[in-house]
Amino acid sequence: MNTLSINAERLLGRLRELGQIGRDSDDRLVRLAGSDADKAGRDTFVAWVRAAGLEVAVDRIGNIFGIWRHADNADEAPVLLGSHIDTVINAGIFDGCYGALSGLEVIETLKAAGYVPARPIAVAAFTNEEGVRYAPDMMGSLVYAGGLSVKEALATVGTDDTILGEELERIGYAGSEEPGFLKPHAYVELHIEQGPVLERKGVPIGAVENLQGISWQRVTIDGDANHAGTTPMSMRRDAGHAAARVVTFLRDRARNANTPTVATVGCMGFEPNAINVIPSRATFTVDLRDPDEQRLQAEEAALAAYLKELAAAEEVTISVERLARFEPVTFDRRIVELVEDAVRERGLTAKRMTSGAGHDAQMIARIAPAAMIFVPSIGGISHNPREHTPEADLIAGANILLDVVIRLAAE
Ligand code: GLV
Ligand code: MN
Ligand code: MN
């Protein structure tokens, strides 16, 4: 039985330290892709990777790799670990960072123990997983897996009208490696659950067997600006009202269905955005998710039909732009079983589960056997500064990752 364990103090200390980088004037953690804060987080991560004695490589979309290889295993496909270190706005400190730092921690632990892997082991921090500033999300891993061209990704215009490629150049992370340059033997991503299931069940580890489909759209509704005091209710073409109806349509439909479908309107803007002017334009985003592809398509079709009806009823024009669309992904069964074996050997319990969040693993699964390991999120809270996982669970998850890597790297 393997008794090697990761250095918990080092991992937890780095998580806390990275979690202080990129705080804004209100002390909110905001490390959006390609920003100065992202640069600061990346620089710290790279410094740790170098200090661990790993080779550092950066590809053209800014994905960072720390590679541990020797002359006698350098020709073998590496076991790749990783996640992302960019964040949402007002983030918690664990989302993504836990996986990237645990990947590094596992490699450092193995190195220090004098372990000789049959294949290289590498850790990746993928660019722009969150997709907050530049859509789609999981962009760095999507490009890495060949699902989006580097050229197209680098030309992406952000919510602040910046261009991702220019921002990566500016912060010094437009690397030279061609995305896909390391073809993994296997990919394993450790992540906080970001949902309530594990905590509720009292299970410390999730063996993630699949990940739901994700549909992102931007809807623009055009009506007419007019005076709020003088325009009778019957004479309005109110884009704001029409947008509000879409929000309630989506929520009611998802709540009343006996399915796992979730629907969110996370961004909304009105023009001219004045208290006494009927909105002439409303722009908002729709995030639809479902583990079943057919049902996700049906939800998209239902929204499209509703928008058509609404445009006629409210005399507004409606246009839709697709920002991201990813089908549900099934992870590699053998790696899921390796996770379960490792959990059993450590005397813990695991639950097979579906990921509700998007992850880089869903992209890397296109080019290599991949799976994920989850640890509980207290209260199921994430994308929020109150995001929290007890230290014992963070340590247990990283040790399971260690055990799984030992098995994969010996193959
Ligand atoms: C990515 O974090 C997502 O699930 O939106
Ligand atoms: Mn994440
Ligand atoms: Mn996230």
Side-chain angles (χ1 to χ4, degrees):
M1 185 181 144
N2 163 54
T3 47
L4 192 61
S5 286
I6 56 104
N7 181 332
E9 279 319 303
R10 183 169 57 196
L11 174 62
L12 298 174
R14 283 178 178 167
L15 266 168
R16 284 191 285 267
E17 191 175 333
L18 188 54
Q20 286 310 313
I21 297 173
R23 297 264 159 191
D24 70 7
S25 52
D26 294 320
D27 202 35
R28 303 183 313 167
L29 179 60
V30 191
R31 287 200 311 266
L32 301 186
S35 64
D36 291 339
D38 186 22
K39 173 183 168 47
R42 285 165 173 268
D43 288 351
T44 299
F45 180 71
V46 167
W48 287 331
V49 170
R50 275 195 214 291
L54 311 189
E55 214 178 293
V56 175
V58 180
D59 71 12
R60 291 175 59 210
I61 192 66
N63 297 320
I64 300 169
F65 298 84
I67 308 163
W68 180 34
R69 57 184 160 195
H70 300 289
D72 43 354
N73 72 12
D75 292 338
E76 303 295 331
V79 174
L80 186 62
L81 316 175
S83 195
H84 61 98
I85 59 171
D86 67 316
T87 75
V88 294
I89 298 164
N90 203 12
I93 69 169
F94 301 107
D95 180 356
C97 302
Y98 173 51
L101 294 178
S102 295
L104 175 59
E105 180 56 47
V106 162
I107 297 175
E108 280 197 82
T109 299
L110 291 173
K111 253 183 125 224
Y115 177 78
V116 185
R119 27 181 96 251
I121 307 175
V123 57
F126 291 105
T127 295
N128 186 35
E129 190 273 348
E130 294 291 6
V132 169
R133 192 179 183 202
Y134 304 99
D137 49 352
M138 284 79 72
M139 187 186 274
S141 48
L142 177 65
V143 170
Y144 196 82
L148 175 68
S149 75
V150 185
K151 193 167 164 226
E152 210 179 320
L154 291 175
T156 307
V157 179
T159 50
D160 52 2
D161 293 328
T162 54
I163 295 167
L164 176 59
E166 292 177 4
E167 288 291 86
L168 285 175
E169 285 278 356
R170 187 182 67 78
I171 66 168
Y173 283 91
S176 56
E177 297 289 350
E178 213 45 59
F181 73 103
L182 287 177
K183 167 98 178 57
H185 168 70
Y187 176 77
V188 191
E189 181 167 350
L190 174 64
H191 206 285
I192 55 167
E193 181 199 335
Q194 309 182 274
V197 176
L198 291 175
E199 187 195 25
R200 236 181 237 167
K201 300 245 181 233
V203 174
I205 300 289
V208 187
E209 54 183 353
N210 61 343
L211 188 150
Q212 67 181 343
I214 304 176
S215 163
W216 280 7
Q217 301 174 74
R218 177 160 44 225
V219 181
T220 303
I221 304 185
D222 284 299
D224 257 338
N226 210 337
H227 197 292
T230 60
T231 314
M233 295 310 285
S234 61
M235 286 178 62
R236 297 177 179 221
R237 295 178 63 234
D238 184 340
H241 167 73
R245 289 192 54 183
V246 181
V247 177
T248 55
F249 167 79
L250 288 168
R251 179 191 151 95
D252 292 348
R253 186 176 164 86
R255 275 197 74 143
N256 296 334
N258 199 16
T259 65
T261 312
V262 286
T264 306
V265 174
C267 297
M268 168 92 67
F270 288 170
E271 287 175 29
N273 204 31
I275 188 168
N276 55 359
V277 184
I278 297 163
S280 57
R281 170 171 280 195
T283 310
F284 59 94
T285 54
V286 177
D287 176 319
L288 281 172
R289 306 192 192 201
D290 199 295
D292 181 85
E293 173 61 22
Q294 297 313 317
R295 208 162 46 218
L296 187 54
Q297 284 180 19
E299 290 308 308
E300 291 177 313
L303 172 62
Y306 182 74
L307 293 177
K308 205 167 164 202
E309 242 173 66
L310 186 69
E314 298 292 328
E315 296 180 55
V316 291
T317 53
I318 303 183
S319 60
V320 176
E321 183 192 346
R322 179 164 277 197
L323 299 177
R325 182 63 165 85
F326 302 118
E327 289 187 14
V329 170
T330 303
F331 288 127
D332 186 77
R333 221 180 74 197
R334 201 178 61 86
I335 303 180
V336 176
E337 286 168 2
L338 284 183
V339 172
E340 290 173 325
D341 292 347
V343 166
R344 215 172 299 116
E345 281 172 29
R346 291 239 175 208
L348 299 171
T349 52
K351 176 176 166 41
R352 284 203 183 195
M353 57 193 303
T354 300
S355 172
H359 294 291
D360 295 306
Q362 83 195 80
M363 301 309 169
I364 302 304
R366 298 177 180 200
I367 56 167
M372 297 189 70
I373 304 166
F374 277 177
V375 294
S377 291
I378 297 303
I381 297 170
S382 186
H383 285 184
N384 181 316
R386 288 187 289 125
E387 181 181 275
H388 184 67
T389 299
E391 289 184 355
D393 291 335
L394 293 169
I395 296 164
N399 278 325
I400 298 302
L401 181 68
L402 173 72
D403 297 352
V404 171
V405 169
I406 288 173
R407 287 169 169 84
L408 289 169
E411 289 174 349

